[in-house]
Amino acid sequence: MKYKISLFLLFVFVLNSCQGEDEKRRAENKKAAKKKEAIFNNINKGWVFMDEPINEVSEKNVREWAEWRDFLKEIGEKPKKTIGAFQKKSSAIAKKATGLSINIPIEFNKPQIRSRISILITKVKMMDLYIHLNTVPDDKVVFLIGEINKEMVSLERQMDKIVEKSKIPKEEYEADFLRMLDTTRAIPNTFADPK
């Protein structure tokens, strides 16, 4: 009889403790859902990209440079429903950003443009990395969106500078002078050291 009573008490204790865990689990799930909703709302508010060209050169590039046009189109579309939609969009933006470095127009295939494109790609990939973490740091994602916008403006302004510089007429012997300044074309010193 003692055995049955102790077994009954053990059963009541286990049943009671399971109910407490269920309540804790429900409370934790509610808390996690509220946190995810807050993260979603912050990212949704901060997901504002500058997808419009800022100058004539950028507008011309949108028409002529397919990769740039695709990138701007991709960042212009905003996801709406879930964090998963933002994650998919972020991956698509990262893919389009990587394509920017592959086919740069000849007039812009210069170190200052390639470096700005590399920085832009890096920041887009960082945003993609942060948004795919288990616990999404929404403040970092929103900060990186602002940084991506700054890099895009910097890239567009640099393209504008290159076009403006190309419009400046060169003087008669300026090309020869610039070639003489190029140290890679210098005549190597073939004389032996007299020591």
Side-chain angles (χ1 to χ4, degrees):
M1 186 72 174
K2 286 183 181 181
Y3 180 70
K4 287 182 181 181
I5 292 174
S6 61
L7 187 60
F8 177 74
L9 290 175
L10 179 65
F11 178 71
V12 169
F13 177 73
V14 168
L15 185 62
N16 198 16
S17 67
C18 288
Q19 287 176 348
E21 287 180 18
D22 284 343
E23 289 174 17
K24 285 180 187 177
R25 196 174 302 124
R26 283 188 199 121
E28 288 174 4
N29 287 343
K30 272 187 178 179
K31 188 176 178 182
K34 284 182 182 179
K35 186 174 181 181
K36 283 183 180 181
E37 186 177 339
I39 289 171
F40 172 78
N41 289 336
N42 286 342
I43 291 176
N44 192 30
K45 266 193 275 182
W47 194 274
V48 180
F49 286 104
M50 295 176 57
D51 60 338
E52 294 294 321
I54 63 168
N55 53 33
E56 291 176 18
V57 175
S58 300
E59 289 176 14
K60 180 182 170 199
N61 283 336
V62 168
R63 290 188 302 271
E64 296 175 1
W65 187 8
E67 289 79 7
W68 183 248
R69 179 178 53 244
D70 293 343
F71 176 72
L72 289 179
K73 182 181 176 194
E74 194 67 46
I75 65 170
E77 299 168 355
K78 184 177 179 178
K80 294 181 176 140
K81 305 238 179 193
T82 63
I83 288 288
F86 281 106
Q87 290 171 338
K88 287 179 185 175
K89 179 54 78 175
S90 177
S91 296
I93 291 171
K95 186 176 179 183
K96 297 291 183 183
T98 305
L100 288 175
S101 65
I102 295 171
N103 191 15
I104 302 172
I106 294 170
E107 70 177 314
F108 299 123
N109 198 0
K110 299 188 180 330
Q112 56 268 39
I113 296 292
R114 286 192 306 263
S115 66
R116 282 175 174 76
I117 289 174
S118 295
I119 293 169
L120 179 65
I121 291 170
T122 302
K123 293 198 176 180
V124 168
K125 285 185 176 182
M126 283 174 55
M127 179 192 69
D128 187 40
L129 173 80
Y130 281 133
I131 206 163
H132 279 90
L133 293 175
N134 289 337
T135 305
V136 178
D138 53 330
D139 54 337
K140 289 185 180 181
V141 172
V142 171
F143 174 76
L144 282 169
I145 289 170
E147 290 294 308
I148 290 168
N149 285 332
K150 287 178 189 175
E151 291 305 324
M152 288 173 49
V153 168
S154 173
L155 177 63
E156 290 175 344
R157 285 187 178 150
Q158 187 63 44
M159 286 189 262
D160 192 40
K161 276 185 186 177
I162 289 173
V163 169
E164 290 301 316
K165 280 185 179 180
S166 70
K167 290 179 182 177
I168 298 172
K170 295 198 186 283
E171 292 187 16
E172 186 177 346
Y173 296 107
E174 186 175 358
D176 294 336
F177 179 70
L178 291 173
R179 271 194 304 255
M180 288 182 352
L181 288 176
D182 188 7
T183 58
T184 59
R185 298 191 54 191
I187 299 171
N189 189 359
T190 57
F191 296 110
D193 205 11
K195 287 185 182 182

